[in-house]
């Protein structure tokens, strides 16, 4: 019985591709901010106030509001990564972007998306994710994605620092 379950698990695990992992991560990056906006709506409905009233009055809600709005940028980055993995272009930029997104998720303590991104990196690159060719990075044409990943990393770092200092 144990071997049947393990063999079924191995077949299911082998059918999961990097693109499917990124697709689920993209959906989660879009869903989490919408859930937070729903929470703000419920709080404001319960208190008969404006939807932005909890954000104005509570600094923790303000931090989370900024953080969850940056998740839309994360979804955009993951969508670009999914497209780039499919056509096998600019692997060095994808490695840096994936590592920046993983750090972003660790700073925000979003362990679900962080685990999915780690799984993608392990499946796609393995330990070779840290072997980045700087010459290949100079020749890459799509360097603008590094700006978005740097922005999300910077925002998540500042939110993490401020959140733990409150």
């Amino acid at each position: 019985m144990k071997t049947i379950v393990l063999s079924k698990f191995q077949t299911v695990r082998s059918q999961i591709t990097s693109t499917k992992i990124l697709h689920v991560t993209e959906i989660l990056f879009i869903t989490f901010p919408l859930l937070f906006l729903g929470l703000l709506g419920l709080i404001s409905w319960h208190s008969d106030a404006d939807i932005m009233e909890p954000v104005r009055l509570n600094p923790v809600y303000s931090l989370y509001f900024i953080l969850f709005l940056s998740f839309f940028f994360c979804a955009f980055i993951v969508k670009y990564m999914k497209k780039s993995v499919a056509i096998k272009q600019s692997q060095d930029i994808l490695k840096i972007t994936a590592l920046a997104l993983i750090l972003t998720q660790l700073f925000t303590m979003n362990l679900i998306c962080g685990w999915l991104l780690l799984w993608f990196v392990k499946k796609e690159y393995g330990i070779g994710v840290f072997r980045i060719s700087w010459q290949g990075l100079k020749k890459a044409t799509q360097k603008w994605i590094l700006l978005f990943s740097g922005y999300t990393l910077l925002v998540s770092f500042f939110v993490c620092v401020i959140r733990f200092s409150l």
Side-chain angles (χ1 to χ4, degrees), residues 32-161:
F32 289 154
L34 295 178
L35 288 175
F36 180 73
L37 290 175
L39 173 71
L40 285 179
L42 284 175
I43 290 172
S44 65
W45 179 59
H46 181 66
S47 64
D48 291 330
D50 186 25
I51 193 166
M52 294 303 290
E53 195 68 25
V55 174
R56 282 191 291 258
L57 296 178
N58 193 344
V60 174
Y61 282 136
S62 301
L63 288 174
Y64 285 133
F65 182 73
I66 293 168
L67 183 72
F68 280 121
L69 287 182
S70 74
F71 275 14
F72 288 119
F73 286 104
C74 291
F76 176 72
I77 293 168
V78 168
K79 185 175 183 175
Y80 170 78
M81 288 173 59
K82 187 170 56 171
K83 186 176 72 169
S84 294
V85 164
I87 60 175
K88 301 282 185 195
Q89 74 176 28
S90 61
Q91 296 299 314
D92 295 322
I93 287 183
L94 287 179
K95 289 177 185 179
I96 293 172
T97 304
L99 291 173
L101 275 178
I102 290 170
L103 282 175
T104 299
Q105 298 317 304
L106 290 178
F107 283 142
T108 62
M109 293 182 206
N110 184 1
L111 299 180
I112 297 170
C113 291
W115 179 78
L116 285 170
L117 287 168
L118 275 173
W119 191 13
F120 162 74
V121 165
K122 181 185 175 291
K123 191 169 194 66
E124 191 69 26
Y125 305 112
I127 196 68
V129 71
F130 298 109
R131 291 188 205 119
I132 298 169
S133 167
W134 299 108
Q135 297 298 330
L137 190 61
K138 289 179 183 177
K139 296 176 186 175
T141 58
Q142 306 271 332
K143 293 179 187 170
W144 56 268
I145 200 69
L146 295 176
L147 182 68
F148 284 114
S149 58
Y151 164 75
T152 58
L153 182 62
L154 194 66
V155 165
S156 66
F157 177 72
F158 284 141
V159 166
C160 179
V161 167

